[in-house]
Amino acid sequence: MINEKLQEAFNDQINKEFYSEYLYLAMKVYFQELNLQGFVNWFDVQVQEERAHAIGMVDYLNNRGGKVELRAIEKPVVEGSTPLEIFEQVLKHEEFVTLRINHVMDVAEEVKDRAAMHLLDWYLKEQVEEEATAGGVLATLRLIGDDKKALLMLDKDLAARTFVAPVIG
Ligand code: OFO
């Protein structure tokens, strides 16, 4: 059985992971409209990762005898109107998600649920990677500035990203 406060924190985080999936899907559409297929691929992988993160928590909560509550997913808002601005938002969003997972970890610590802490450790490590990946693309976009040729080269690089189903936990 899982503590109720921790169950609530997991349910809230499940919703945030599904929101992330939805947000990145909206960003994928933005790049589809620009016909930047490498960026499209990058976001496609991101969408799949977020879905895996969400389902990982759904399955975990279920395995622990908790009650999964699927809540309404907010309409995603893409704030930027350039690739640079979009990636600023991606990094900001990942930093926010890290904060939220830290919060779930705080609750797990408070109720002394070591098994949950172990799982959340995985999510926190994943966040370090997520921030680094988004930050890397953002740094390149800053270097690129208005250089369209360089943007197309980056697009080519991003086409190489592949989705590898994460082993969570
Ligand atoms: Fe689920 O890692 Fe991004 O948000």
Side-chain angles (χ1 to χ4, degrees):
M1 225 17 214
I2 197 157
N3 171 283
E4 254 184 50
K5 191 172 171 189
L6 185 55
Q7 173 178 293
E8 167 55 31
F10 267 113
N11 274 317
D12 183 63
Q13 190 58 35
I14 286 167
N15 183 264
K16 300 236 169 358
E17 298 294 338
F18 278 124
Y19 176 79
S20 300
E21 179 190 8
Y22 217 28
L23 176 66
Y24 294 140
L25 184 57
M27 289 175 172
K28 175 181 158 178
V29 169
Y30 165 90
F31 284 105
Q32 277 173 329
E33 284 165 7
L34 290 182
N35 197 29
L36 286 169
Q37 295 302 332
F39 282 89
V40 169
N41 174 64
W42 194 92
F43 279 98
D44 195 43
V45 172
Q46 202 67 13
V47 164
Q48 295 178 73
E49 285 200 352
E50 297 305 346
R51 186 169 186 74
H53 295 166
I55 304 246
M57 282 191 183
V58 166
D59 290 347
Y60 181 77
L61 195 49
N62 200 264
N63 285 340
R64 292 287 310 274
K67 179 141 188 50
V68 174
E69 199 190 310
L70 296 177
R71 298 171 180 169
I73 304 165
E74 230 181 278
K75 179 179 170 17
V77 180
V78 178
E79 286 161 6
S81 55
T82 64
L84 177 77
E85 285 168 0
I86 301 269
F87 270 85
E88 279 170 347
Q89 188 184 355
V90 172
L91 183 58
K92 211 171 78 192
H93 180 70
E94 287 305 328
E95 287 167 353
F96 167 71
V97 170
T98 301
L99 269 179
R100 295 312 304 167
I101 295 177
N102 268 317
H103 167 73
V104 186
M105 179 64 109
D106 285 346
V107 177
E109 263 173 8
E110 191 189 315
V111 302
K112 297 194 170 41
D113 189 327
R114 292 196 168 70
M117 282 159 68
H118 177 75
L119 177 90
L120 291 163
D121 246 340
W122 183 89
Y123 277 90
L124 285 173
K125 274 187 214 129
E126 178 76 357
Q127 281 310 117
V128 172
E129 243 180 68
E130 294 268 279
E131 286 187 28
T133 311
V137 180
L138 180 58
T140 307
L141 283 167
R142 284 197 176 118
L143 273 177
I144 284 175
D146 290 333
D147 185 343
K148 290 235 161 58
K149 245 193 208 156
L151 183 68
L152 290 176
M153 274 168 68
L154 173 62
D155 188 57
K156 225 174 170 190
D157 284 354
L158 298 184
R161 189 182 189 199
T162 53
F163 174 66
V164 181
V167 182
I168 298 176

